[in-house]
Amino acid sequence: MVAQVRALAFALAKPIEMKKVLVRKPFVFLPNAVHAVLFRPLVFPRFLDQGSDMLAPPWPELVISCGRRAGLVAMGLRHALLQERGRPLFI
């Protein structure tokens, strides 16, 4: 999946920065539907493991995520940035 995301990012012909995110246990075992409804405001940054890359401003123009866990983090980040001006587009 990483290769597909990288290929999509390179096709956009813009500089890219890849970040690795890890979801802490026990949250990693819950289905995304639970996170989407109940825990969406808490996902970012509370569910991130210490081994994750830092996610902080300045925010990118575009966030591409793949996989269940990365999608969960992107969903939480999108919720956290709802009030930001110029917030990123999420794929």
Side-chain angles (χ1 to χ4, degrees), residues 3 13 15-16 29 33 35 47 54 79-80:
I16 65 167
F29 301 114
H35 295 294
F47 283 17
M54 178 63 96
H79 182 78

Side-chain angles (χ1 to χ4, degrees), residues 3 14 19 25 48 74 77-78 80-81 83-84 89-90:
K14 291 192 172 209
K19 302 267 184 167
K25 293 178 184 174
L48 296 183
L77 182 61
R78 179 176 47 189
L81 298 177
Q83 303 304 322
E84 294 275 334
L89 175 64
F90 288 86

Side-chain angles (χ1 to χ4, degrees), residues 4-26:
Q4 293 169 337
V5 169
R6 186 174 288 144
L8 176 60
F10 281 129
L12 296 173
K14 291 192 172 209
I16 65 167
E17 182 178 346
M18 302 216 28
K19 302 267 184 167
K20 180 179 80 172
V21 293
L22 304 169
V23 178
R24 291 187 325 176
K25 293 178 184 174

Side-chain angles (χ1 to χ4, degrees), residues 19-82:
K19 302 267 184 167
K20 180 179 80 172
V21 293
L22 304 169
V23 178
R24 291 187 325 176
K25 293 178 184 174
F27 307 112
V28 71
F29 301 114
L30 295 173
N32 279 0
V34 173
H35 295 294
V37 177
L38 300 175
F39 299 123
R40 186 178 10 192
L42 305 175
V43 170
F44 178 78
R46 292 178 186 96
F47 283 17
L48 296 183
D49 194 38
Q50 291 180 347
S52 296
D53 292 336
M54 178 63 96
L55 300 176
W59 303 113
E61 296 174 22
L62 177 66
V63 174
I64 304 171
S65 64
C66 68
R68 185 172 71 86
R69 294 177 187 143
L72 168 68
V73 174
M75 183 175 51
L77 182 61
R78 179 176 47 189
H79 182 78
L81 298 177
L82 281 176

